[in-house]
Amino acid sequence: MGTVVILVAVVAVVTFVFYWSGRHGDPKRNSGTSLQRGASAHTTRNGRPKKAYATRDEAAAQARSMTKRDGAATSAYKCGTCDKWHVGH
């Protein structure tokens, strides 16, 4: 019985977090975020193809440049779809 109560509470909290972040999240993000498009989405939030880098070093250099320019932390990550490197928040 206690496990069921905990499970229901966890589901309620997760549901609330998704509801709240979708309603009151970052105003610069539109409804086409990668979370809603799926983990393997290969387009930006604007619907454009993601820029791919052949090496981690190239992507990391771009991430540092973008972080300096925009002030928002960005990092390089390896894509599971194309097996190349992308830069993201």
Side-chain angles (χ1 to χ4, degrees):
M1 179 71 178
T3 305
V4 173
V5 171
I6 292 172
L7 182 59
V8 169
V10 167
V11 169
V13 167
V14 169
T15 302
F16 176 76
V17 166
F18 278 114
Y19 167 79
W20 185 265
S21 64
R23 187 173 177 116
H24 303 287
D26 186 353
K28 290 185 261 178
R29 294 190 77 118
N30 61 19
S31 61
T33 64
S34 59
L35 181 63
Q36 292 173 334
R37 290 189 322 265
S40 63
H42 216 249
T43 57
T44 65
R45 65 182 179 189
N46 298 328
R48 297 184 187 123
K50 291 182 180 176
K51 178 145 175 72
Y53 299 90
T55 66
R56 181 178 188 208
D57 291 337
E58 287 179 80
Q62 181 63 26
R64 284 190 298 275
S65 173
M66 290 172 68
T67 298
K68 262 186 190 175
R69 184 189 71 206
D70 301 336
T74 56
S75 61
Y77 65 94
K78 187 141 187 175
C79 179
T81 301
C82 69
D83 207 34
K84 294 194 179 188
W85 292 84
H86 299 296
V87 174
H89 297 279

